[in-house]
Amino acid sequence: MADSSGRARLFVVSGPSGAGKGTVVAGLLQHRPDVFLSVSSTTRPARRGEVDGVNYHFVSERDFIAGRDRGDFLETAEVYGNYYGTPRALVEAALREGRDVILELDIQGALAVKRALPESVLIFIEPPSLEELFSRLRGRRTEDPDALRRRVQAAYDEVKEKGAYDHIVVNDRIEDAIAQVIRIMDAPQERTPHPGS
Ligand code: 5GP
């Protein structure tokens, strides 16, 4: 929902792969179809079942670098050897139209957006435990063992950084996690106290 000044707001959702970010965001959009979900560009190959233009814009490294040099991206990052970027024009247009925007980014992207737009709201989706995350990732069978190891290591690193986020949502039951994100989006700007802080 737009804030009290009527301005649309930018929300960044992060969390380790396997934490259920995508499912939480999809559930949220069913409740709030007015929200604009930005589709990133990436140079990583599409996984089975992923659709160009829906999950990502899958682009060549050459096109990505050309776009980056033109200033087409709000932020870019290199993750696991692939480039990712948030297309600037669509996000800015949605905000101008008064639509809240969600970006699904890694921590580098979240921090870059916060630096550029301090009023943006950062939400970290955390798995109930790293053991649970590991078993979800293994069950997904989309990664070879090396990539799986890298993602689990990255998950440990990301969870260590969660203190940088305005809100932390533990995705134990998906419906609860979605409800919590909706509350955050509908509330005026404030931080949810972090567990243990
Ligand atoms: P995956 O390859 O699993 O789809 O994404 C790998 C990581 O890149 C995830 O943490 C995801 O949130 C992040 N990511 C996806 N798109 C972007 C983007 O446009 N910018 C940044 N900084 N990270 C992104």
Side-chain angles (χ1 to χ4, degrees), residues 15 17 21 40-41 44 47 50 56 75-77 79-80 84-86 104-106 108-109 140 151 158:
S17 32
K21 271 182 313 223
S40 295
S41 297
R44 101 155 147 66
R47 296 194 189 113
E50 284 185 329
Y56 283 103
E75 59 79 43
T76 63
V79 186
Y80 316 124
Y84 295 81
T86 305
E104 227 188 286
L105 305 179
D106 73 330
Q108 307 168 65
R140 202 157 85 172
R151 279 174 185 271
E158 280 188 55

Side-chain angles (χ1 to χ4, degrees), residues 12-28 37 56 80 102-107 123-127 136 140 151 158 171 174 178 181:
V12 183
V13 176
S14 307
S17 32
K21 271 182 313 223
T23 317
V24 171
V25 169
L28 169 79
L37 173 66
Y56 283 103
Y80 316 124
I102 292 194
L103 307 178
E104 227 188 286
L105 305 179
D106 73 330
I107 181 151
I123 303 172
F124 189 86
I125 308 287
E126 194 179 10
R136 285 184 197 174
R140 202 157 85 172
R151 279 174 185 271
E158 280 188 55
N171 182 17
I174 185 72
I178 293 167
V181 174

